[in-house]
């Protein structure tokens, strides 16, 4: 509620305009109306993104710049936001979108500027970008740094068929545990972001956390690092409890 009220400051002392703008954005994001009395910090990542967009939309901007619309969001949320952006565009707003997800970018943008290492490699209608697999492959397929744009095999030097380095795969499970999580739990309001996670990281190993957007990977790292206070469980570093 306070975020939306603050976002309407440009409307001045016009309560009717503020009320109309608030109703308009809550129609776009009905979940925000259900959680209007919640602390913004207790919203999920997707709901926080919706709140940021709602703040932007309240004053009907003529130009809207969106940096990473889909970053860190669950697929169900990512599927909702493009429709909202399209509705804002249809109301006359010009939009610049920075986006890593080629699917989201192609679904929204009419014109594309493709950048790599600070240089523009393509500029033109978005549909024409689909006809340039050499450009898309160079960024969106892992390990493609060769000059001809072909993807490196998982059996390239230094990689085993499983994609791990030979050095790491040669080590066994007898190495001492460096980092351990025991039933680490984190909640944001009614959202269970991390649910009793156990893991062990042994000396010299590389541990990968893999999962879709919104699975809780970043939240788990924030819990381990102490950036977030955990709601349950323990974190141990070389056997020492560092949970607090």
């Amino acid at each position: 509620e306070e975020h939306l009220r603050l976002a309407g400051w440009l409307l001045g002392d016009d309560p009717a305009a503020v009320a109309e703008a608030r109703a308009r954005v809550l129609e776009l994001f009905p979940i925000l109306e259900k959680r209007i009395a919640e602390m913004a910090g207790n919203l999920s990542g997707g709901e926080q993104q919706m709140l940021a967009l709602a703040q932007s939309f309240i004053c009907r901007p003529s130009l809207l710049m969106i940096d990473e619309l889909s970053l860190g969001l669950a697929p169900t949320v990512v599927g909702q936001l493009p429709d909202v952006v399209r509705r804002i565009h249809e109301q006359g707003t010009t939009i610049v979108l920075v986006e890593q997800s080629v699917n989201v970018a192609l679904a929204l943008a009419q014109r594309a500027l493709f950048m790599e290492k600070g240089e523009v490699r393509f500029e033109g209608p978005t549909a024409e970008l689909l006809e340039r697999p050499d450009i898309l492959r160079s960024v969106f397929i892992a390990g493609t740094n060769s000059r001809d744009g072909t993807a490196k095999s998982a059996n390239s030097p230094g990689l085993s068929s499983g994609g791990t380095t030979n050095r790491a795969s040669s080590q066994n499970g007898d190495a001492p545990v460096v980092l351990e999580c025991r039933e680490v739990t984190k909640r944001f309001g009614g959202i269970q972001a991390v649910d009793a996670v156990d893991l062990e990281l042994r000396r010299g190993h590389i541990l990968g956390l893999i999962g879709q957007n919104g699975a809780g990977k970043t939240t788990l790292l924030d819990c381990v690092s102490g950036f977030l206070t955990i709601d349950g469980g323990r974190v141990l570093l070389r056997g020492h409890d560092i949970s607090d």
Side-chain angles (χ1 to χ4, degrees), residues 15-33:
V18 173
E20 187 276 332
R22 181 182 181 279
R24 187 177 67 249
V25 298
L26 291 179
E27 182 182 355
L28 287 172
F29 302 107
I31 187 64
L32 295 183
E33 187 166 25

Side-chain angles (χ1 to χ4, degrees), residues 1-9 15 18-23 25-26 31-41 43 47 51-52 54-55 58:
E1 174 66 41
E2 292 172 343
H3 281 68
L4 295 180
R5 189 165 72 246
L6 178 63
W9 73 275
V18 173
E20 187 276 332
R22 181 182 181 279
V25 298
L26 291 179
I31 187 64
L32 295 183
E33 187 166 25
K34 295 178 181 178
R35 308 201 67 188
I36 198 71
E38 289 272 356
M39 293 291 290
L43 301 180
E47 290 165 349
L51 179 58
Q55 287 182 277
I58 273 188

Side-chain angles (χ1 to χ4, degrees), residues 106-237:
L106 294 179
L108 281 172
Q110 299 164 335
R111 186 170 183 81
L113 209 73
F114 191 99
M115 297 185 67
E116 185 179 22
K117 297 180 179 178
E119 297 181 354
V120 174
R121 294 192 56 193
F122 171 88
E123 181 179 0
T126 305
E128 293 183 7
L129 185 58
L130 290 173
E131 301 172 4
R132 295 291 305 275
D134 58 316
I135 291 178
L136 296 179
R137 186 186 301 118
S138 69
V139 172
F140 295 108
I141 297 181
T144 56
N145 292 321
S146 56
R147 297 177 80 80
D148 63 359
T150 57
K152 293 181 181 178
S153 164
N155 293 317
S156 299
L159 294 177
S160 70
S161 59
T164 56
T165 64
N166 290 333
R167 178 177 177 273
S169 61
S170 67
Q171 297 180 351
N172 57 40
D174 296 332
V177 174
V178 175
L179 178 70
E180 184 177 3
C181 292
R182 298 178 183 173
E183 298 189 350
V184 170
T185 300
K186 181 62 184 177
R187 291 180 291 272
F188 297 101
I191 305 298
Q192 188 86 357
V194 176
D195 188 6
V197 169
D198 294 323
L199 67 81
E200 285 187 352
L201 176 62
R202 295 182 178 272
R203 188 174 66 193
H205 287 199
I206 297 175
L207 177 66
L209 300 178
I210 302 171
Q212 64 186 15
N213 289 344
K217 305 181 299 296
T218 299
T219 302
L220 178 60
L221 289 188
D222 286 344
C223 290
V224 171
S225 68
F227 182 76
L228 292 176
T229 302
I230 61 177
D231 296 315
R234 313 305 296 167
V235 179
L236 290 88
L237 181 65

Side-chain angles (χ1 to χ4, degrees), residues 3-4 25 28-29 31-32 35 39-58 64-74 76-82 84-85 88 97-101 104 108 213:
H3 281 68
L4 295 180
V25 298
L28 287 172
F29 302 107
I31 187 64
L32 295 183
R35 308 201 67 188
M39 293 291 290
N42 288 338
L43 301 180
S44 70
E47 290 165 349
Q48 290 183 11
Q49 185 79 300
M50 292 178 188
L51 179 58
L53 288 170
Q55 287 182 277
S56 301
F57 297 160
I58 273 188
L64 181 64
M65 298 187 292
I66 305 176
D67 187 19
E68 300 291 5
L69 178 69
S70 66
L71 184 64
L73 301 183
T76 52
V77 177
V78 174
Q80 298 169 11
L81 291 181
V84 174
V85 174
I88 295 301
L97 173 70
V98 174
E99 182 58 58
Q100 290 190 38
S101 169
V104 172
L108 281 172
N213 289 344

